Amino acid sequence: MMQALSAAAPAAAQDARAPGTAAAPGVADGDPAAVLPRQARTVRDTGLDPRFVTGLVLKTLHAGGKTPLSVLTGRLRLASSVVREVLQGLIGVQQAEVAWAGETDLDVHYSLTAGGQRAAAGHLAESRYVGPAPVTLAAWRAVLAHQSQRRQDAARVGRPELEALLHEDGLEPAVRELIGAALHSHRPLLLYGPSGSGKSTLARKFARLRQDPVAVPHAVLVNNEVVQLYDPALHPAPLQPRGLDERRSVDARWMPSQRPLVHLGAELTRDMLELRPDAAAGVLRAPHHLCANSGLLVVDDLGRQRVPAAELLHRWLAALESGQDHVAVPGGPTLALPFDVVLVLATGQAPEAVLDDACLRRIGYRIPVGPLSEPSYRALLRRQARLRRIELDDGALDYLVGELHRRTRRPLLAAYPHELLDRIADFAGFAGHAPRADAHSLAQAWSSMFGAAVTTNPAIPAAANGGAARGDAR
């Protein structure tokens, strides 16, 4: 659900924000730039140690040689006033010099002296990192607090929004009520049911309820370690680009993003829960569950990971309660980093078979997702056929439900219509004609899914076979 907010933040409210702090909750929904902290104008405003900022400038000049001021500010994501402040200090100690000057203060190129080259080499020996200046851990915590979906005044899921999202999924009213209460509470929830019942698709759909933009830092400085957080694959650009062209007054060390949706499955291992050193880049890569901050973390196939489900859940549930997760640096210390997500779990097993009683008590809601009712299953197949522009014979749909499903006792699971129609399109494409969902093509797709022995030469009702005959006549 998108929170109803003003179209643009008042200028006075923007000016009142301290550097490195986010817009107050409720500012400018749909205006991505409004969620970004105010630009730092001085080295002190960045919150970083002056020596650290100086080292970044030296290393950037070392990598680029004679470099325009505009390129320096772009690479460091810092205001020109901050970079000039550092450069003036470097010029004063004869580690940098003006290599070329144009007609304006911004049209200046800088380079390192021999002393500057030696100083840059010393900083590179300490850290290989060259890139956007990180933000402080305190600044990141403050922004996450503003963006938290767990705030008391945060937008809550209501019935109209949930009905609009789920009205085509065929879920029973009681299940929709459970989902609504769980999402309204912002507590962790567990979806369980047979494989193919649509749990994973349902879990990912929850991300559509909150698509307001949030701010994500490129990197955070923690105990003199640079932790990289921003990942374009996990932090897509906001749906509304308005406001992004005029961002000179905001802190470019932060990127506007949709609330992230991070999906983890059976591939999850213990090492994926910790910080990963990238020696070449001089950074620690944040684990995916921390990249999900301010968004939705979906853990699929719970119980199939190489980490025991109880161990994983005890860690994350404790982290959600405390607001931080303790992540390890291989061969180094453990860092306490913020953890604030909406946690959705999905499993094909019985909850009691996956989690112990202590975990089950701490999970907010356990929600069964089972087979669809026959009317819902029929409606889903019709809708998906329409979306794929595949003509569907009503008689063939009777054959699918009344013959194939009933004879094989296969439940009416939400995954089947999608898979059957995709296979019908595959066979039609290979044969060189338009796909048509008649009894013959459904039987063929069914056989390819479950084995030829399941349905060979099916007795197709005459009403259903009419569509197949028409298809053969073309």
Side-chain angles (χ1 to χ4, degrees):
M1 178 175 61
M2 297 183 69
Q3 190 175 4
L5 305 171
S6 60
Q14 292 281 350
D15 293 340
R17 296 206 315 261
T21 60
V27 173
D29 185 29
D31 183 357
V35 304
L36 301 177
R38 181 181 167 188
Q39 187 180 56
R41 298 293 186 181
T42 67
V43 172
R44 182 178 180 180
D45 288 344
T46 66
L48 300 170
D49 186 301
R51 184 180 182 278
F52 181 90
V53 183
T54 299
L56 270 183
V57 174
L58 283 167
K59 289 184 287 185
T60 305
L61 281 171
H62 180 273
K66 185 173 70 173
T67 309
L69 177 62
S70 59
V71 173
L72 279 173
T73 58
R75 290 175 180 171
L76 297 170
R77 302 300 179 100
L78 293 172
S80 58
S81 59
V82 175
V83 178
R84 269 200 297 253
E85 181 184 340
V86 175
L87 287 168
Q88 290 305 313
L90 292 174
I91 291 172
V93 296
Q94 298 183 346
Q95 292 182 353
E97 60 187 4
V98 175
W100 183 85
E103 297 181 355
T104 68
D105 291 341
L106 295 176
D107 194 10
V108 183
H109 294 210
Y110 294 89
S111 62
L112 294 180
T113 64
Q117 295 285 354
R118 290 192 296 271
H123 282 282
L124 284 167
E126 296 176 12
S127 169
R128 303 292 302 174
Y129 181 71
V130 181
V135 305
T136 65
L137 180 58
W140 186 32
R141 289 188 188 278
V143 169
L144 287 178
H146 279 297
Q147 296 173 170
S148 177
Q149 300 175 81
R150 295 149 63 88
R151 298 188 325 266
Q152 289 188 351
D153 61 341
R156 301 282 173 171
V157 173
R159 187 181 302 276
E161 292 82 9
L162 192 65
E163 292 293 338
L165 181 73
L166 303 180
H167 77 282
E168 294 183 340
D169 287 355
L171 297 172
E172 295 298 323
V175 174
R176 291 201 300 271
E177 289 289 321
L178 276 173
I179 292 172
L183 294 175
H184 181 86
S185 73
H186 291 153
R187 296 173 65 191
L189 65 95
L190 172 66
L191 303 173
Y192 67 95
S195 177
S197 58
K199 303 180 300 296
S200 302
T201 300
L202 179 61
R204 288 192 293 267
K205 286 181 75 170
F206 296 156
R208 300 183 199 171
L209 292 167
R210 289 294 304 277
Q211 294 185 321
D212 48 315
V214 295
V216 179
H218 279 274
V220 178
L221 188 65
V222 187
N223 294 350
N224 296 318
E225 298 278 5
V226 177
V227 178
Q228 183 168 314
L229 279 159
Y230 177 71
D231 182 341
L234 301 177
H235 301 113
L239 298 177
Q240 299 293 333
R242 182 173 59 84
L244 293 181
D245 294 333
E246 296 295 333
R247 290 175 52 190
R248 287 174 293 182
S249 64
V250 299
D251 194 334
R253 294 178 295 169
W254 301 78
M255 288 295 291
S257 167
Q258 297 177 40
R259 288 190 181 270
L261 165 61
V262 175
H263 186 274
L264 301 174
E267 75 284 354
L268 184 63
T269 58
R270 275 194 181 89
D271 62 307
M272 293 171 62
L273 300 172
E274 312 301 344
L275 294 161
R276 293 172 291 118
D278 185 337
V283 298
L284 297 172
R285 308 281 180 184
H288 281 185
H289 70 279
L290 292 186
C291 292
N293 269 313
S294 300
L296 185 71
L297 177 60
V298 176
V299 183
D300 207 357
D301 288 328
L302 186 68
R304 299 187 183 275
Q305 289 76 20
R306 297 181 185 179
V307 186
E311 176 186 330
L312 182 67
L313 264 294
H314 277 300
R315 170 174 171 171
W316 280 350
L317 292 173
L320 283 174
E321 291 168 3
S322 66
Q324 61 184 17
D325 186 29
H326 293 269
V327 289
V329 181
T334 296
L335 304 180
L337 299 180
F339 186 52
D340 185 4
V341 301
V342 174
L343 181 60
V344 179
L345 314 166
T347 182
Q349 305 176 56
E352 297 78 9
V354 180
L355 298 172
D356 56 33
D357 289 341
C359 270
L360 290 174
R361 283 195 301 271
R362 296 168 74 184
I363 290 175
Y365 287 82
R366 286 171 273 172
I367 302 173
V369 182
L372 300 176
S373 66
E374 184 175 325
S376 294
Y377 186 81
R378 288 173 176 268
L380 178 61
L381 196 140
R382 288 193 184 97
R383 184 167 58 255
Q384 293 196 359
R386 187 167 57 251
L387 291 173
R388 291 170 172 77
R389 298 182 179 179
I390 296 177
E391 186 176 350
L392 174 64
D393 293 346
D394 284 340
L397 185 51
D398 292 338
Y399 170 69
L400 171 64
V401 174
E403 171 66 17
L404 296 179
H405 275 287
R406 192 162 296 163
R407 181 163 60 85
T408 61
R409 297 183 180 179
R410 289 196 176 274
L412 303 177
L413 298 177
Y416 290 160
H418 167 84
E419 186 64 35
L420 287 168
L421 292 169
D422 278 354
R423 289 168 185 254
I424 286 172
D426 292 340
F427 282 112
F430 177 71
H433 60 74
R436 180 188 183 92
D438 53 31
H440 174 76
S441 63
L442 282 168
Q444 187 180 40
W446 185 277
S447 295
S448 72
M449 287 175 63
F450 302 114
V454 173
T455 172
T456 56
N457 296 321
I460 301 174
N465 197 33
R470 288 194 300 273
D472 292 340
R474 284 198 300 269

